[in-house]
């Protein structure tokens, strides 16, 4: 199995919409490509962890997946990688025999929507923000992950969409969907199981990893900061906070994530304001004090510094 925390690509030229860098000693691509993720999904070993009030976390295939079983059928948040269909189906069966009924996408990225088509074929109605539908209907690219994504097939597309908020009831739970300020992308939402006090923040929160910010999809560092503050306004000290990647977090973990974002934004902005180029800022290693805690994911310190630099 490919370990996303250990993939170390050879640095090579990185192209963005604004600059092209020939890099010899900095890595401006993620530590894992789209193709590698999908290959890893075929042999992924999923972890199943009960959280609270029948809500269960499934991790190990793309983004973190939540499952709420019950008489109304399973409600699922995010669909992981399509290449993990066999393991995900088995995980669902181990949780309950209830049929699939609803699938909520926290945003459009493939590691959270790749399983949409098979889950829809198995009975799930797909719900997401209206901009997720728009993105999935058109060709997308994420150069940092060497990813080109053609329009999704009709069976993978959300058929229930909303603009700002949406609330519905299933399996005895009030489920509240809220759009974030464009953050990780312009398509991000939170999914709050109010009765259980469990919130899925999607990729607006990475637990103990530097986050990816997709500028090609409308994301920004300032949006990430705003989204953290919006989440903190929704939750309390006992809320279980599930990020798009990483272990389950708490209100305190989210506050630490926000503090890291704000401090690193300030450091990078000051260096940029002094006239330093992106490569010069990266070589000064402004993230160094944070790397032990946050620098062990698929977004390297160099890449994260560059993502902040683009947005300040």
């Amino acid at each position: 199995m490919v370990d996303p925390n250990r993939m170390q690509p050879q640095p090579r030229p990185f192209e963005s919409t604004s600059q092209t860098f020939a890099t010899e000693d900095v890595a401006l691509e993620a530590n894992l490509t789209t193709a590698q993720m999908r290959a890893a999904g075929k042999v992924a070993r999923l972890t199943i962890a009960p959280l609270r009030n029948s809500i269960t976390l499934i991790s190990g295939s793309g983004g973190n997946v939540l499952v709420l079983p019950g008489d109304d059928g399973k409600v699922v948040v995010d669909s992981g990688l399509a290449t993990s269909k066999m393991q995900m189906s088995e995980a669902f069966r181990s949780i309950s025999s209830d049929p699939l009924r609803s699938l909520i996408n926290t945003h459009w990225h493939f590691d959270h929507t790749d399983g949409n088509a098979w889950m829809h074929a198995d009975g799930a109605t797909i719900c997401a923000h209206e901009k997720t539908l728009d993105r999935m209907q058109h060709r997308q690219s994420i150069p940092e992950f060497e990813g080109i994504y053609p329009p999704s097939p009709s069976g993978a597309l959300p058929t229930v969409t909303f603009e700002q908020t949406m609330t519905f009831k299933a399996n005895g739970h009030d489920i509240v969907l809220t759009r974030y300020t464009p953050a990780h992308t312009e398509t991000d939402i939170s999914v709050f199981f109010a009765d259980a006090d469990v919130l899925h923040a999607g990729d607006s929160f990475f637990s103990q990893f530097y986050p990816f910010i997709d500028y090609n999809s409308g994301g920004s560092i300032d949006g990430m900061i705003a989204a953290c503050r919006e989440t903190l306004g929704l939750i309390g000290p006992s809320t279980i906070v599930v990020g798009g990647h990483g272990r389950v977090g708490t209100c305190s973990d989210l506050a630490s994530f926000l503090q890291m974002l704000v401090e690193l934004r300030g450091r990078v902005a000051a260096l940029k304001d002094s006239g330093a180029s992106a490569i010069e800022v990266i070589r000064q290693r402004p993230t160094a004090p944070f790397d032990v805690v946050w620098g062990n994911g698929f977004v390297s310190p160099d890449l994260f510094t560059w993502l902040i630099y683009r947005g300040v």
Side-chain angles (χ1 to χ4, degrees), residues 1 7 14 20 31 40 49 81 117 128 130 144 154 182 189 206 213 226 237 265 272 275 277 300 302 309:
M1 177 179 174
M7 295 301 299
F14 173 86
T20 298
N31 290 336
L81 299 168
E130 60 189 16
E144 295 88 350
S154 60
I189 66 169
F206 278 45
I213 306 172
R265 187 209 182 279
K272 185 174 182 178
S277 70
S300 69
D302 287 355
Y309 187 94

Side-chain angles (χ1 to χ4, degrees), residues 9 15 25-26 32 42 61 69 90 94-95 102 112 120 152 164 171 174 186 193 202 216 240-241 282 284 293-294 308:
E15 295 184 2
D25 61 346
V26 295
L32 195 61
K42 294 179 181 179
S61 172
E90 178 59 32
S94 75
I95 291 170
S102 300
H112 300 260
H120 171 70
S152 298
Q164 292 299 330
N171 299 326
D174 290 319
E186 67 176 1
F193 296 85
N216 287 344
I240 295 173
V241 184
I282 290 167
Q284 291 190 53
V293 174
W294 303 97
I308 298 173

